[in-house]
């Protein structure tokens, strides 16, 4: 009897261990650990940065930041539980939804002016404000991925390549008309990455880049002539946009506005040293010398508070997030979902490079937020939804296997 009892006990123990192993494997098969860890790490560190900012900056509401995170997690969970593969067949509907989303701020009764910017809406009944262009970025990624997937990884003719470029130009131009140059560049870069990964030839891409550089140069030259003849009201590029380009070339060219912001940002980043000044001690950012320290210039605030070590931690987390998302793309056997993944990586990459670059003088100043770190519920919800999309792709990969 003792031997039989011991045998039954060992058999039960093996069943329990096998059940635990299966549960563990199931959890890992539906959630990509690298993406999840980087996401949680970025949100946690971002919350610490915004809490630090809330101690000295009145507009940096920590409770509103937490509300954005909560809504973002809800959206991410809902998307994670969805199967996105059917979206590949509704490219026209995606384009229509994208355009509607971009122009929502022009709808009477919805439009809302936030600090002089008109790209916001106020949701009826609940009264919350939202920036629809953040969702339009994701819709553009899905739209371009649905078109790119039709070529099965190889674009054979220049006509097909130009067709994809023309389709990308639609949301790009619409966002420019709406008045948000920064978001239009995000959409352009994410869409360009998708086109390249859809099988476009290198010589076509290089020719397009050269053409864009030439067109930009022509526009700048033409604009200076128009401005001289008819004034700023007739200019293609507004004066504040031109000032940002001039400040990028020479920060001392404008010491009253964008040039001042850049100089204060450089001082904040440099004064942080290796370990930073500590929470609540960011004098440049917290004392009002650096405007929009908790939004556009949050990397300068972060660097001043937590120093080089904190900045490196954020970069490591961002690198982990993007490399893990690329891993999801590689493991997916669905071309549409794979292109969605690389489009999201392109979106994150441009936003990170532009936001950090403008804080240290490597890129022109724009209003692009730093994902998961900058204060703002619209951006947080959209970025969390992007993480949910990546996790959904990983879950669908596991289901297909």
């Amino acid at each position: 009897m003792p031997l039989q009892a011991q045998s039954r006990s060992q058999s039960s123990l093996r069943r329990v261990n096998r059940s635990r192993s299966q549960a563990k494997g199931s959890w890992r098969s539906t959630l990509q650990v690298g993406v999840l860890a980087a996401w949680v790490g970025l949100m946690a560190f971002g919350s610490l940065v915004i809490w630090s900012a809330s101690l000295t900056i009145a507009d940096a509401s920590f409770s509103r930041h937490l509300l954005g995170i909560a809504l973002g997690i809800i959206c991410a969970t809902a998307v994670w539980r969805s199967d996105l593969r059917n979206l590949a067949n509704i490219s026209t509907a995606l384009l229509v939804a994208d355009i509607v989303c971009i122009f929502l701020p022009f709808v009477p009764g919805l439009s809302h002016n936030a600090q002089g910017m008109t790209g916001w809406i106020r949701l009826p009944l609940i009264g919350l404000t939202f920036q629809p262009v953040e969702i339009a970025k994701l819709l553009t990624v899905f739209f371009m991925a649905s078109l790119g997937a039709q070529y099965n990884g190889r674009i054979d003719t220049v006509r097909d390549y130009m067709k994809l470029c023309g389709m990308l130009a639609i949301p790009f131009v619409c966002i420019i008309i709406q008045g948000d140059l920064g978001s239009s560049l995000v959409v352009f870069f994410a869409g360009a990455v998708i086109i390249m990964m859809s099988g476009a030839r290198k010589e076509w891409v290089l020719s397009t880049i050269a053409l864009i550089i030439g067109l930009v140069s022509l526009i700048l030259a033409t604009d200076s002539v128009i401005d001289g003849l008819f004034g700023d009201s007739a200019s293609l590029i507004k004066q504040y946009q031109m000032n940002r380009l001039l400040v990028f070339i020479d920060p001392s060219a404008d010491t009253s506005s964008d040039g001042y912001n850049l100089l204060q940002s450089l001082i904040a980043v440099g004064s942080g040293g290796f370990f930073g000044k500590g929470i609540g001690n960011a004098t440049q950012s917290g004392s009002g010398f650096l405007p929009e320290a908790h939004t556009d210039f949050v990397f300068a605030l972060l660097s001043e508070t937590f120093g080089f070590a904190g900045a490196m931690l954020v970069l490591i987390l961002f690198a982990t997030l993007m490399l893990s998302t690329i891993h999801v793309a590689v493991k997916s056997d669905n071309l549409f979902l794979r292109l969605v993944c690389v489009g999201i990586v392109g979106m994150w990459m441009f936003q990170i490079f532009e936001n950090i670059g403008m804080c240290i003088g490597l890129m022109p100043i724009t209003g692009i937020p730093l994902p998961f770190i900058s204060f703002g519920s619209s951006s947080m919800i959209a970025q969390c939804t992007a993480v949910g999309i990546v996790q959904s792709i990983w879950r669908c990969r596991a289901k297909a296997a």
Side-chain angles (χ1 to χ4, degrees):
M1 290 296 295
L3 291 176
Q4 293 177 351
Q6 184 178 5
S7 176
R8 285 196 299 270
S9 176
Q10 291 177 346
S11 178
S12 299
L13 182 61
R14 283 194 297 269
R15 284 197 299 270
V16 170
N17 290 335
R18 185 164 53 251
S19 177
R20 289 180 177 178
S21 177
Q22 290 174 351
K24 185 177 181 181
S26 176
W27 180 79
R28 288 186 174 180
S29 67
T30 57
L31 282 172
Q32 216 289 332
V33 179
V35 173
L36 179 64
W39 177 44
V40 172
L42 285 167
M43 289 196 300
F45 193 74
S47 297
L48 184 61
V49 171
I50 299 302
W51 174 69
S52 173
S54 69
L55 300 178
T56 54
I57 302 175
D59 292 336
S61 172
F62 186 58
S63 59
R64 284 182 56 193
H65 184 75
L66 293 181
L67 175 62
I69 289 177
L71 293 175
I73 291 175
I74 292 172
C75 292
T77 303
V79 173
W80 168 57
R81 299 299 301 173
S82 305
D83 190 339
L84 304 174
R85 287 174 286 190
N86 292 330
L87 295 179
N89 304 318
I90 56 170
S91 57
T92 303
L94 288 170
L95 177 60
V96 172
D98 196 2
I99 296 174
V100 169
C101 201
I102 292 170
F103 287 111
L104 271 180
F106 292 99
V107 177
L110 289 178
S111 60
H112 174 72
N113 189 297
Q115 296 181 349
M117 296 181 293
T118 57
W120 294 76
I121 62 172
R122 183 179 292 276
L123 300 177
L125 302 178
I126 59 177
L128 292 178
T129 58
F130 190 77
Q131 198 172 12
V133 73
E134 295 293 337
I135 301 301
K137 295 175 185 177
L138 297 177
L139 288 173
T140 302
V141 167
F142 278 112
F143 169 61
M144 293 305 301
S146 68
L147 295 179
Q150 298 175 8
Y151 296 95
N152 296 317
R154 183 174 179 177
I155 302 174
D156 293 319
T157 65
V158 176
R159 180 180 179 181
D160 289 335
Y161 171 73
M162 295 305 297
K163 178 182 176 181
L164 284 177
C165 293
M167 291 295 102
L168 175 59
I170 296 175
F172 173 72
V173 172
C174 287
I175 297 176
I176 288 181
I177 293 173
Q178 194 244 31
D180 191 345
L181 178 61
S183 294
S184 68
L185 292 175
V186 174
V187 164
F188 175 81
F189 190 84
V193 170
I194 292 174
I195 291 175
M196 287 187 287
M197 298 304 295
S198 297
R201 296 181 183 178
K202 293 181 181 179
E203 56 268 26
W204 297 346
V205 175
L206 293 175
S207 299
T208 304
I209 293 174
L211 178 62
I212 291 173
I213 294 174
L215 286 175
V216 171
S217 302
L218 179 61
I219 290 172
L220 291 175
T222 304
D223 187 73
S224 62
V225 175
I226 294 175
D227 185 46
L229 294 175
F230 305 103
D232 184 59
S233 59
S235 298
L236 302 173
I237 300 176
K238 301 304 178 183
Q239 188 60 47
Y240 77 92
Q241 295 173 329
M242 184 64 72
N243 288 343
R244 289 180 173 182
L245 293 175
L246 294 175
V247 164
F248 170 62
I249 298 172
D250 180 12
S252 62
D254 178 16
T255 59
S256 61
S257 182
D258 292 309
Y260 170 83
N261 294 347
L262 177 55
L263 291 174
Q264 293 300 320
S265 176
L266 293 172
I267 293 172
V269 172
S271 64
F274 194 84
F275 291 110
K277 297 178 180 178
I279 294 176
N281 297 321
T283 55
Q284 292 297 126
S285 308
S287 300
F289 294 105
L290 178 61
E292 305 299 332
H294 59 302
T295 54
D296 297 347
F297 289 94
V298 72
F299 183 77
L301 167 65
L302 181 157
S303 299
E304 185 179 10
T305 305
F306 299 100
F308 178 78
M312 285 303 300
L313 174 60
V314 168
L315 291 177
I316 290 171
L317 289 172
F318 277 133
T320 302
L321 177 66
M322 290 188 289
L323 290 174
S324 298
T325 302
I326 292 173
H327 176 71
V328 173
V330 170
K331 291 297 183 180
S332 176
D333 59 355
N334 185 290
L335 180 58
F336 166 68
L337 297 182
R338 196 181 306 156
L339 292 175
V340 169
C341 267
V342 298
I344 289 175
V345 170
M347 179 185 72
W348 282 334
M349 185 180 299
F350 184 83
Q351 291 184 136
I352 293 165
F353 184 74
E354 169 59 33
N355 184 278
I356 295 177
M358 78 174 191
C359 288
I360 58 178
L362 295 180
M363 294 291 286
I365 295 175
T366 61
I368 296 177
L370 187 62
F372 310 105
I373 307 294
S374 290
F375 177 81
S377 298
S378 301
S379 174
M380 182 64 72
I381 293 171
Q383 302 306 326
C384 289
T385 302
V387 171
I389 292 169
V390 174
Q391 294 288 13
S392 173
I393 294 171
W394 179 260
R395 188 178 66 86
C396 289
R397 170 216 57 84
K399 186 185 296 185

